[in-house]
Amino acid sequence: MFSYRHAYHAGNHADVLKHFVQVQLHQYMNQKDTAYTYIDTHSGAGVYALDSAQAVKSGEYLEGIARLWERDDLPAPLADYVKLVRAMNPSGRLRYYPGSPYVAEQVARPEDRLRLFELHPADTRLLVENFRKLEAHKAEQGERSRGRRILIEHADGFQALKSLLPPPSRRALVLIDPPYEVKLDYKHVRDRPRRSPRTVPVRHLRGLVPGAAAHGVAPVCRPPEAPAGQGMAARDPDAWRRRGRTARACTAAACSS
Ligand SMILES: C[S@@+](CC[C@H](N)C(=O)[O-])C[C@H]1O[C@@H](n2cnc3c(N)ncnc32)[C@H](O)[C@@H]1O
């Protein structure tokens, strides 16, 4: 427990897929006037520096956001997501990458609420600090604070979800994105949304990614196909598994094919 740090994986191909879909979901929810609650059961640190020791060591973002960064021929929905990443890198150099809480903060409307949960003590501190800086920056720009719009808790997101549903407006967007460090994560991911009140339209990312369903992705699945000599998955599938390429990466890999 707690060996997973998302800083090693920020901006990789799985993050790109996840955050692209997240932007689409917010845009969908934004179509109705009624405010909604965004619940992020596994928030991570919120913002990641791609020149940090962790990101540089894994280099995973090079096969993710870095491949889209220079493109000016992206389809409109993908361009919306890349625009969001560009907005947090005004110098034009890809240095910062938004985590799911930051994506929500940017795309949800001022009247929507954000409930963010994170269990790792260090990442909770980073999450709080990142949002403190964001609020300070907004205040400098003359933006009025929205009080309790964003609540961050150092708590188990699976447990918290039960008590938050249904939210007052009866509209919720829920992102469940565990690290699958413990076997129970698989069970919780499968069970939690089903146990939630039926009156709330709970959106569960894995269920929403059409490619994942079409490819029949299992919790721990085969490495993605790759042409001979291209990548660890093709050269040495066992090593690929040992490196922890589990459900999220597999889901994304299946979908990107
Ligand atoms: C895959 S990362 C989240 C990434 C984030 N959703 C994003 O897209 O930027 C998973 C996070 O869940 C945290 N975590 C693990 N178990 C948790 C639990 N039961 N409740 C809340 N957070 C948990 C880990 O510390 C890690 O930061």
Side-chain angles (χ1 to χ4, degrees):
M1 190 67 172
F2 286 151
S3 61
Y4 182 94
R5 301 299 300 276
H6 196 65
Y8 287 95
H9 312 289
N12 70 8
H13 67 289
D15 258 12
V16 166
L17 175 72
K18 171 178 61 185
H19 297 143
F20 162 64
V21 173
Q22 188 187 347
V23 170
Q24 297 299 302
L25 291 174
H26 282 291
Q27 290 177 349
Y28 172 78
M29 296 293 283
N30 292 352
Q31 287 173 15
K32 260 195 184 177
D33 288 345
T34 312
Y36 60 91
T37 302
Y38 168 76
I39 304 168
D40 200 329
T41 56
H42 296 70
S43 293
V47 176
Y48 301 91
L50 297 177
D51 56 5
S52 69
Q54 294 104 317
V56 169
K57 185 173 179 199
S58 75
E60 288 188 19
Y61 76 95
L62 296 171
E63 288 298 310
I65 185 61
R67 293 185 63 173
L68 300 180
W69 183 246
E70 301 282 354
R71 299 273 299 261
D72 56 10
D73 58 348
L74 298 172
L78 202 49
D80 282 352
Y81 151 73
V82 174
K83 193 170 150 197
L84 188 152
V85 185
R86 288 205 176 116
M88 73 188 306
N89 292 280
S91 72
R93 186 167 77 87
L94 176 57
R95 185 157 177 237
Y96 295 107
Y97 185 77
S100 51
Y102 187 92
V103 171
E105 202 284 330
Q106 293 293 301
V107 193
R109 304 156 303 179
E111 62 271 31
D112 302 321
R113 294 176 152 223
L114 276 61
R115 296 288 173 267
L116 311 176
F117 298 90
E118 171 54 50
L119 210 46
H120 196 297
D123 277 346
T124 308
R125 278 195 296 276
L126 287 170
L127 182 63
V128 169
E129 181 59 14
N130 283 327
F131 270 87
R132 190 195 61 72
K133 284 185 195 158
L134 183 66
E135 289 297 313
H137 178 71
K138 282 185 166 183
E140 271 172 28
Q141 306 297 313
E143 264 190 58
R144 195 165 58 87
S145 165
R146 304 284 304 192
R148 291 168 60 81
R149 178 184 179 235
I150 303 172
L151 288 184
I152 301 175
E153 281 185 53
H154 177 216
D156 183 330
F158 285 127
Q159 290 301 322
L161 183 58
K162 287 187 278 188
S163 61
L164 287 175
L165 296 175
S169 70
R170 305 190 81 76
R171 296 188 76 216
L173 173 58
V174 181
L175 178 65
I176 302 175
D177 185 26
Y180 301 97
E181 265 187 310
V182 291
K183 281 188 182 164
L184 268 181
D185 280 352
Y186 295 99
K187 186 173 165 359
H188 286 151
V189 161
R190 195 193 62 208
D191 294 350
R192 288 301 170 201
R194 273 196 225 145
R195 285 189 193 159
S196 304
R198 280 188 297 152
T199 46
V200 179
V202 175
R203 306 291 183 200
H204 172 217
L205 185 60
R206 269 181 67 204
L208 271 168
V209 178
H215 287 259
V217 176
V220 177
C221 63
R222 287 184 295 113
E225 306 286 340
Q230 281 185 22
M232 185 190 284
R235 287 195 309 273
D236 186 348
D238 288 337
W240 187 88
R241 283 194 193 90
R242 281 198 300 278
R243 286 267 302 263
R245 291 339 194 237
T246 54
R248 281 176 313 104
C250 288
T251 302
C255 291
S256 63
S257 62

mmCIF file of all heavy atoms in Angstrom, residues 161-194:
data_model
loop_
_atom_site.group_PDB
_atom_site.id
_atom_site.type_symbol
_atom_site.label_atom_id
_atom_site.label_comp_id
_atom_site.label_asym_id
_atom_site.label_seq_id
_atom_site.Cartn_x
_atom_site.Cartn_y
_atom_site.Cartn_z
ATOM 1 N N LEU A 161 -17.668 7.775 -1.154
ATOM 2 C CA LEU A 161 -18.641 7.815 -2.249
ATOM 3 C C LEU A 161 -20.051 7.465 -1.762
ATOM 4 O O LEU A 161 -21.037 8.088 -2.157
ATOM 5 C CB LEU A 161 -18.187 6.848 -3.357
ATOM 6 C CG LEU A 161 -19.028 6.798 -4.624
ATOM 7 C CD1 LEU A 161 -19.122 8.165 -5.271
ATOM 8 C CD2 LEU A 161 -18.428 5.803 -5.618
ATOM 9 N N LYS A 162 -20.100 6.477 -0.857
ATOM 10 C CA LYS A 162 -21.408 6.008 -0.393
ATOM 11 C C LYS A 162 -22.232 7.140 0.230
ATOM 12 O O LYS A 162 -23.419 7.258 -0.002
ATOM 13 C CB LYS A 162 -21.226 4.898 0.654
ATOM 14 C CG LYS A 162 -20.762 3.602 0.045
ATOM 15 C CD LYS A 162 -20.753 2.499 1.079
ATOM 16 C CE LYS A 162 -19.507 2.535 1.933
ATOM 17 N NZ LYS A 162 -19.338 1.401 2.821
ATOM 18 N N SER A 163 -21.536 7.976 1.026
ATOM 19 C CA SER A 163 -22.291 9.007 1.749
ATOM 20 C C SER A 163 -22.575 10.242 0.889
ATOM 21 O O SER A 163 -23.343 11.106 1.287
ATOM 22 C CB SER A 163 -21.513 9.425 3.002
ATOM 23 O OG SER A 163 -20.275 9.956 2.586
ATOM 24 N N LEU A 164 -21.948 10.323 -0.271
ATOM 25 C CA LEU A 164 -22.135 11.529 -1.089
ATOM 26 C C LEU A 164 -23.244 11.389 -2.119
ATOM 27 O O LEU A 164 -23.600 12.354 -2.793
ATOM 28 C CB LEU A 164 -20.828 11.872 -1.814
ATOM 29 C CG LEU A 164 -19.735 12.455 -0.934
ATOM 30 C CD1 LEU A 164 -18.460 12.625 -1.728
ATOM 31 C CD2 LEU A 164 -20.177 13.795 -0.371
ATOM 32 N N LEU A 165 -23.739 10.185 -2.265
ATOM 33 C CA LEU A 165 -24.765 9.961 -3.283
ATOM 34 C C LEU A 165 -26.122 9.712 -2.646
ATOM 35 O O LEU A 165 -26.207 8.935 -1.703
ATOM 36 C CB LEU A 165 -24.373 8.759 -4.164
ATOM 37 C CG LEU A 165 -23.104 8.948 -4.981
ATOM 38 C CD1 LEU A 165 -22.732 7.659 -5.712
ATOM 39 C CD2 LEU A 165 -23.245 10.082 -5.973
ATOM 40 N N PRO A 166 -27.168 10.309 -3.127
ATOM 41 C CA PRO A 166 -27.174 11.294 -4.207
ATOM 42 C C PRO A 166 -26.809 12.680 -3.681
ATOM 43 O O PRO A 166 -27.136 12.995 -2.540
ATOM 44 C CB PRO A 166 -28.627 11.279 -4.686
ATOM 45 C CG PRO A 166 -29.411 10.916 -3.451
ATOM 46 C CD PRO A 166 -28.534 10.004 -2.650
ATOM 47 N N PRO A 167 -26.172 13.515 -4.491
ATOM 48 C CA PRO A 167 -25.877 14.891 -4.071
ATOM 49 C C PRO A 167 -27.147 15.734 -4.094
ATOM 50 O O PRO A 167 -28.144 15.309 -4.683
ATOM 51 C CB PRO A 167 -24.890 15.370 -5.141
ATOM 52 C CG PRO A 167 -25.186 14.548 -6.340
ATOM 53 C CD PRO A 167 -25.707 13.220 -5.846
ATOM 54 N N PRO A 168 -27.125 16.920 -3.482
ATOM 55 C CA PRO A 168 -28.348 17.734 -3.374
ATOM 56 C C PRO A 168 -29.025 17.971 -4.722
ATOM 57 O O PRO A 168 -30.252 17.902 -4.820
ATOM 58 C CB PRO A 168 -27.850 19.052 -2.769
ATOM 59 C CG PRO A 168 -26.577 18.687 -2.067
ATOM 60 C CD PRO A 168 -25.977 17.531 -2.804
ATOM 61 N N SER A 169 -28.241 18.212 -5.766
ATOM 62 C CA SER A 169 -28.864 18.519 -7.062
ATOM 63 C C SER A 169 -29.289 17.250 -7.805
ATOM 64 O O SER A 169 -29.898 17.326 -8.866
ATOM 65 C CB SER A 169 -27.889 19.291 -7.946
ATOM 66 O OG SER A 169 -26.836 18.427 -8.350
ATOM 67 N N ARG A 170 -28.940 16.100 -7.249
ATOM 68 C CA ARG A 170 -29.215 14.786 -7.855
ATOM 69 C C ARG A 170 -28.525 14.612 -9.204
ATOM 70 O O ARG A 170 -28.956 13.834 -10.049
ATOM 71 C CB ARG A 170 -30.726 14.525 -7.962
ATOM 72 C CG ARG A 170 -31.432 14.656 -6.635
ATOM 73 C CD ARG A 170 -32.851 14.187 -6.667
ATOM 74 N NE ARG A 170 -32.966 12.732 -6.551
ATOM 75 C CZ ARG A 170 -32.808 12.057 -5.422
ATOM 76 N NH1 ARG A 170 -32.491 12.678 -4.306
ATOM 77 N NH2 ARG A 170 -32.942 10.753 -5.414
ATOM 78 N N ARG A 171 -27.433 15.360 -9.401
ATOM 79 C CA ARG A 171 -26.614 15.165 -10.602
ATOM 80 C C ARG A 171 -25.160 14.990 -10.144
ATOM 81 O O ARG A 171 -24.642 15.824 -9.387
ATOM 82 C CB ARG A 171 -26.681 16.374 -11.541
ATOM 83 C CG ARG A 171 -28.049 16.646 -12.112
ATOM 84 C CD ARG A 171 -27.963 17.735 -13.189
ATOM 85 N NE ARG A 171 -27.419 17.238 -14.433
ATOM 86 C CZ ARG A 171 -26.620 17.946 -15.229
ATOM 87 N NH1 ARG A 171 -26.244 19.173 -14.909
ATOM 88 N NH2 ARG A 171 -26.169 17.421 -16.354
ATOM 89 N N ALA A 172 -24.515 13.923 -10.607
ATOM 90 C CA ALA A 172 -23.134 13.685 -10.184
ATOM 91 C C ALA A 172 -22.312 13.126 -11.333
ATOM 92 O O ALA A 172 -22.830 12.392 -12.189
ATOM 93 C CB ALA A 172 -23.098 12.720 -9.007
ATOM 94 N N LEU A 173 -21.061 13.499 -11.355
ATOM 95 C CA LEU A 173 -20.086 12.885 -12.257
ATOM 96 C C LEU A 173 -19.014 12.295 -11.352
ATOM 97 O O LEU A 173 -18.404 13.014 -10.557
ATOM 98 C CB LEU A 173 -19.495 13.956 -13.187
ATOM 99 C CG LEU A 173 -18.339 13.552 -14.098
ATOM 100 C CD1 LEU A 173 -18.720 12.397 -15.011
ATOM 101 C CD2 LEU A 173 -17.902 14.751 -14.931
ATOM 102 N N VAL A 174 -18.836 10.984 -11.422
ATOM 103 C CA VAL A 174 -17.928 10.306 -10.495
ATOM 104 C C VAL A 174 -16.768 9.699 -11.268
ATOM 105 O O VAL A 174 -16.986 8.959 -12.234
ATOM 106 C CB VAL A 174 -18.672 9.188 -9.724
ATOM 107 C CG1 VAL A 174 -17.736 8.503 -8.735
ATOM 108 C CG2 VAL A 174 -19.891 9.741 -8.999
ATOM 109 N N LEU A 175 -15.575 10.017 -10.849
ATOM 110 C CA LEU A 175 -14.391 9.388 -11.437
ATOM 111 C C LEU A 175 -13.767 8.466 -10.392
ATOM 112 O O LEU A 175 -13.417 8.915 -9.298
ATOM 113 C CB LEU A 175 -13.366 10.440 -11.874
ATOM 114 C CG LEU A 175 -12.066 9.872 -12.457
ATOM 115 C CD1 LEU A 175 -12.310 9.121 -13.754
ATOM 116 C CD2 LEU A 175 -11.048 10.977 -12.691
ATOM 117 N N ILE A 176 -13.669 7.177 -10.747
ATOM 118 C CA ILE A 176 -13.067 6.191 -9.836
ATOM 119 C C ILE A 176 -11.800 5.681 -10.511
ATOM 120 O O ILE A 176 -11.862 4.972 -11.510
ATOM 121 C CB ILE A 176 -14.047 5.025 -9.570
ATOM 122 C CG1 ILE A 176 -15.356 5.558 -8.978
ATOM 123 C CG2 ILE A 176 -13.415 3.999 -8.629
ATOM 124 C CD1 ILE A 176 -16.428 4.482 -8.800
ATOM 125 N N ASP A 177 -10.666 6.048 -9.975
ATOM 126 C CA ASP A 177 -9.401 5.789 -10.678
ATOM 127 C C ASP A 177 -8.329 5.266 -9.711
ATOM 128 O O ASP A 177 -7.324 5.933 -9.463
ATOM 129 C CB ASP A 177 -8.950 7.110 -11.327
ATOM 130 C CG ASP A 177 -7.702 6.934 -12.179
ATOM 131 O OD1 ASP A 177 -7.453 5.815 -12.672
ATOM 132 O OD2 ASP A 177 -6.979 7.940 -12.351
ATOM 133 N N PRO A 178 -8.567 4.066 -9.144
ATOM 134 C CA PRO A 178 -7.618 3.551 -8.144
ATOM 135 C C PRO A 178 -6.326 3.049 -8.785
ATOM 136 O O PRO A 178 -6.288 2.792 -9.998
ATOM 137 C CB PRO A 178 -8.391 2.380 -7.520
ATOM 138 C CG PRO A 178 -9.294 1.910 -8.593
ATOM 139 C CD PRO A 178 -9.657 3.113 -9.422
ATOM 140 N N PRO A 179 -5.289 2.865 -7.980
ATOM 141 C CA PRO A 179 -4.020 2.379 -8.538
ATOM 142 C C PRO A 179 -3.969 0.855 -8.682
ATOM 143 O O PRO A 179 -3.011 0.332 -9.219
ATOM 144 C CB PRO A 179 -2.987 2.855 -7.509
ATOM 145 C CG PRO A 179 -3.743 2.995 -6.243
ATOM 146 C CD PRO A 179 -5.166 3.319 -6.592
ATOM 147 N N TYR A 180 -4.963 0.144 -8.203
ATOM 148 C CA TYR A 180 -4.992 -1.331 -8.239
ATOM 149 C C TYR A 180 -3.770 -1.928 -7.546
ATOM 150 O O TYR A 180 -3.228 -2.923 -7.986
ATOM 151 C CB TYR A 180 -5.118 -1.847 -9.682
ATOM 152 C CG TYR A 180 -6.371 -1.353 -10.374
ATOM 153 C CD1 TYR A 180 -6.343 -0.249 -11.205
ATOM 154 C CD2 TYR A 180 -7.592 -1.986 -10.154
ATOM 155 C CE1 TYR A 180 -7.498 0.225 -11.811
ATOM 156 C CE2 TYR A 180 -8.761 -1.520 -10.755
ATOM 157 C CZ TYR A 180 -8.700 -0.416 -11.589
ATOM 158 O OH TYR A 180 -9.848 0.053 -12.188
ATOM 159 N N GLU A 181 -3.368 -1.279 -6.472
ATOM 160 C CA GLU A 181 -2.264 -1.802 -5.657
ATOM 161 C C GLU A 181 -2.734 -2.968 -4.812
ATOM 162 O O GLU A 181 -1.962 -3.846 -4.484
ATOM 163 C CB GLU A 181 -1.803 -0.699 -4.693
ATOM 164 C CG GLU A 181 -0.655 0.121 -5.165
ATOM 165 C CD GLU A 181 -0.205 1.037 -4.046
ATOM 166 O OE1 GLU A 181 -1.034 1.733 -3.451
ATOM 167 O OE2 GLU A 181 0.988 1.028 -3.759
ATOM 168 N N VAL A 182 -3.999 -2.925 -4.414
ATOM 169 C CA VAL A 182 -4.553 -3.998 -3.586
ATOM 170 C C VAL A 182 -5.687 -4.662 -4.362
ATOM 171 O O VAL A 182 -6.414 -4.000 -5.117
ATOM 172 C CB VAL A 182 -5.083 -3.458 -2.229
ATOM 173 C CG1 VAL A 182 -3.946 -3.003 -1.347
ATOM 174 C CG2 VAL A 182 -6.072 -2.323 -2.427
ATOM 175 N N LYS A 183 -5.829 -5.976 -4.155
ATOM 176 C CA LYS A 183 -6.824 -6.723 -4.943
ATOM 177 C C LYS A 183 -8.233 -6.184 -4.752
ATOM 178 O O LYS A 183 -9.067 -6.231 -5.647
ATOM 179 C CB LYS A 183 -6.780 -8.198 -4.557
ATOM 180 C CG LYS A 183 -5.615 -8.923 -5.206
ATOM 181 C CD LYS A 183 -5.725 -10.405 -4.966
ATOM 182 C CE LYS A 183 -4.524 -11.125 -5.578
ATOM 183 N NZ LYS A 183 -4.376 -12.480 -5.062
ATOM 184 N N LEU A 184 -8.502 -5.662 -3.540
ATOM 185 C CA LEU A 184 -9.853 -5.159 -3.262
ATOM 186 C C LEU A 184 -10.257 -4.027 -4.194
ATOM 187 O O LEU A 184 -11.445 -3.790 -4.416
ATOM 188 C CB LEU A 184 -9.924 -4.667 -1.813
ATOM 189 C CG LEU A 184 -10.382 -5.670 -0.766
ATOM 190 C CD1 LEU A 184 -10.406 -5.013 0.607
ATOM 191 C CD2 LEU A 184 -11.778 -6.233 -1.115
ATOM 192 N N ASP A 185 -9.273 -3.325 -4.753
ATOM 193 C CA ASP A 185 -9.602 -2.235 -5.682
ATOM 194 C C ASP A 185 -10.468 -2.739 -6.828
ATOM 195 O O ASP A 185 -11.406 -2.076 -7.266
ATOM 196 C CB ASP A 185 -8.327 -1.596 -6.267
ATOM 197 C CG ASP A 185 -7.679 -0.597 -5.316
ATOM 198 O OD1 ASP A 185 -8.285 -0.276 -4.273
ATOM 199 O OD2 ASP A 185 -6.564 -0.139 -5.626
ATOM 200 N N TYR A 186 -10.140 -3.939 -7.335
ATOM 201 C CA TYR A 186 -10.909 -4.484 -8.455
ATOM 202 C C TYR A 186 -12.365 -4.697 -8.046
ATOM 203 O O TYR A 186 -13.295 -4.391 -8.783
ATOM 204 C CB TYR A 186 -10.315 -5.818 -8.925
ATOM 205 C CG TYR A 186 -8.929 -5.681 -9.493
ATOM 206 C CD1 TYR A 186 -7.811 -5.970 -8.727
ATOM 207 C CD2 TYR A 186 -8.744 -5.268 -10.807
ATOM 208 C CE1 TYR A 186 -6.540 -5.841 -9.246
ATOM 209 C CE2 TYR A 186 -7.485 -5.135 -11.337
ATOM 210 C CZ TYR A 186 -6.381 -5.423 -10.555
ATOM 211 O OH TYR A 186 -5.128 -5.288 -11.072
ATOM 212 N N LYS A 187 -12.530 -5.244 -6.840
ATOM 213 C CA LYS A 187 -13.876 -5.540 -6.350
ATOM 214 C C LYS A 187 -14.644 -4.229 -6.123
ATOM 215 O O LYS A 187 -15.792 -4.088 -6.540
ATOM 216 C CB LYS A 187 -13.749 -6.331 -5.037
ATOM 217 C CG LYS A 187 -15.051 -6.828 -4.483
ATOM 218 C CD LYS A 187 -14.765 -7.722 -3.290
ATOM 219 C CE LYS A 187 -15.950 -8.004 -2.409
ATOM 220 N NZ LYS A 187 -17.198 -7.430 -2.727
ATOM 221 N N HIS A 188 -13.962 -3.282 -5.489
ATOM 222 C CA HIS A 188 -14.635 -2.006 -5.214
ATOM 223 C C HIS A 188 -15.046 -1.296 -6.497
ATOM 224 O O HIS A 188 -16.134 -0.743 -6.596
ATOM 225 C CB HIS A 188 -13.709 -1.100 -4.402
ATOM 226 C CG HIS A 188 -13.585 -1.516 -2.980
ATOM 227 N ND1 HIS A 188 -12.465 -1.274 -2.223
ATOM 228 C CD2 HIS A 188 -14.458 -2.185 -2.178
ATOM 229 C CE1 HIS A 188 -12.647 -1.769 -1.011
ATOM 230 N NE2 HIS A 188 -13.839 -2.321 -0.963
ATOM 231 N N VAL A 189 -14.164 -1.325 -7.485
ATOM 232 C CA VAL A 189 -14.479 -0.666 -8.752
ATOM 233 C C VAL A 189 -15.714 -1.308 -9.382
ATOM 234 O O VAL A 189 -16.582 -0.636 -9.916
ATOM 235 C CB VAL A 189 -13.274 -0.746 -9.723
ATOM 236 C CG1 VAL A 189 -13.703 -0.495 -11.155
ATOM 237 C CG2 VAL A 189 -12.221 0.270 -9.327
ATOM 238 N N ARG A 190 -15.788 -2.611 -9.281
ATOM 239 C CA ARG A 190 -16.925 -3.310 -9.877
ATOM 240 C C ARG A 190 -18.211 -3.044 -9.091
ATOM 241 O O ARG A 190 -19.265 -2.823 -9.647
ATOM 242 C CB ARG A 190 -16.632 -4.816 -9.904
ATOM 243 C CG ARG A 190 -17.566 -5.600 -10.807
ATOM 244 C CD ARG A 190 -17.415 -7.067 -10.544
ATOM 245 N NE ARG A 190 -17.780 -7.380 -9.163
ATOM 246 C CZ ARG A 190 -17.285 -8.407 -8.470
ATOM 247 N NH1 ARG A 190 -16.396 -9.193 -8.998
ATOM 248 N NH2 ARG A 190 -17.666 -8.643 -7.229
ATOM 249 N N ASP A 191 -18.094 -3.058 -7.755
ATOM 250 C CA ASP A 191 -19.302 -3.021 -6.923
ATOM 251 C C ASP A 191 -19.823 -1.636 -6.605
ATOM 252 O O ASP A 191 -21.024 -1.436 -6.529
ATOM 253 C CB ASP A 191 -19.035 -3.718 -5.587
ATOM 254 C CG ASP A 191 -18.794 -5.197 -5.793
ATOM 255 O OD1 ASP A 191 -19.036 -5.668 -6.926
ATOM 256 O OD2 ASP A 191 -18.366 -5.863 -4.845
ATOM 257 N N ARG A 192 -18.918 -0.665 -6.360
ATOM 258 C CA ARG A 192 -19.381 0.604 -5.787
ATOM 259 C C ARG A 192 -20.457 1.296 -6.599
ATOM 260 O O ARG A 192 -21.488 1.641 -6.045
ATOM 261 C CB ARG A 192 -18.208 1.570 -5.564
ATOM 262 C CG ARG A 192 -17.308 1.196 -4.425
ATOM 263 C CD ARG A 192 -18.043 1.125 -3.106
ATOM 264 N NE ARG A 192 -17.183 0.541 -2.101
ATOM 265 C CZ ARG A 192 -17.617 -0.028 -0.988
ATOM 266 N NH1 ARG A 192 -18.899 -0.098 -0.739
ATOM 267 N NH2 ARG A 192 -16.785 -0.539 -0.118
ATOM 268 N N PRO A 193 -20.250 1.506 -7.889
ATOM 269 C CA PRO A 193 -21.296 2.235 -8.613
ATOM 270 C C PRO A 193 -22.626 1.502 -8.583
ATOM 271 O O PRO A 193 -23.661 2.112 -8.481
ATOM 272 C CB PRO A 193 -20.741 2.316 -10.039
ATOM 273 C CG PRO A 193 -19.271 2.133 -9.878
ATOM 274 C CD PRO A 193 -19.134 1.172 -8.732
ATOM 275 N N ARG A 194 -22.568 0.154 -8.635
ATOM 276 C CA ARG A 194 -23.819 -0.609 -8.630
ATOM 277 C C ARG A 194 -24.571 -0.444 -7.321
ATOM 278 O O ARG A 194 -25.773 -0.478 -7.267
ATOM 279 C CB ARG A 194 -23.517 -2.088 -8.832
ATOM 280 C CG ARG A 194 -23.440 -2.421 -10.295
ATOM 281 C CD ARG A 194 -23.533 -3.908 -10.466
ATOM 282 N NE ARG A 194 -22.525 -4.320 -11.407
ATOM 283 C CZ ARG A 194 -21.866 -5.451 -11.349
ATOM 284 N NH1 ARG A 194 -22.089 -6.286 -10.375
ATOM 285 N NH2 ARG A 194 -20.985 -5.746 -12.244
#
